[in-house]
Amino acid sequence: MVKPPLRTKSIGFKVSEEEYAQLETAAQADGRTLGEWCREAILRGGSASDAERHDPALAEIIGVRLPLVNVLRPLAAGEKLAPEAFDKMLDQISEVKHELAAKLQQQSEKPQREKPSGGRR
């Protein structure tokens, strides 16, 4: 196991009660201590929830995948999709694709926990 570098320097800053609660919630949601989360967010150049800082290519891939999933399955089941419904779906995807990409990227950055074997081999 590789040891992290020895951290000997400290950085401090003041936040309001509300800001502290927001930071604490974000750290807990990411499964990290507040200090670890803040260090990583600062070194990354932004907050973990800042979707614009995440890979835009991933957001576009999600923007293509979502219509495929949401349109092809109903079509395969013999259902029809009205043009207005399709346009509304595209608008919704445009609004959420960056947020979804950020969540996927955060999940892929979390350390993988070992899963119990469950008896299968």
Side-chain angles (χ1 to χ4, degrees):
M1 185 172 165
V2 177
K3 287 186 177 181
L6 185 60
R7 294 185 175 110
T8 60
K9 302 293 182 188
S10 178
I11 297 173
F13 55 95
K14 302 268 187 196
V15 294
S16 68
E17 289 288 331
E18 181 181 327
E19 291 168 330
Y20 187 88
Q22 290 173 350
L23 293 170
E24 196 169 45
T25 299
Q28 289 172 352
D30 202 31
R32 302 187 187 283
T33 66
L34 182 56
E36 290 170 338
W37 188 89
C38 287
R39 180 186 317 99
E40 289 180 17
I42 290 168
L43 291 173
R44 251 195 329 269
S47 73
S49 63
D50 189 1
E52 285 72 34
R53 295 195 185 271
H54 291 280
D55 186 0
L58 180 59
E60 291 307 316
I61 291 168
I62 289 171
V64 170
R65 183 179 183 272
L66 288 173
L68 288 173
V69 170
N70 290 309
V71 172
L72 292 180
R73 182 162 175 81
L75 289 177
E79 299 173 19
K80 292 187 178 185
L81 182 64
E84 298 81 16
F86 182 77
D87 291 341
K88 183 178 179 183
M89 180 186 59
L90 290 179
D91 290 341
Q92 291 170 339
I93 289 170
S94 291
E95 292 174 11
V96 300
K97 66 184 178 183
H98 290 284
E99 182 181 329
L100 291 173
K103 285 181 184 178
L104 283 175
Q105 194 165 5
Q106 286 174 357
Q107 289 172 355
S108 70
E109 290 172 356
K110 286 183 182 179
Q112 298 294 323
R113 294 184 182 139
E114 288 188 33
K115 296 180 182 176
S117 63
R120 286 190 190 176
R121 295 195 191 252

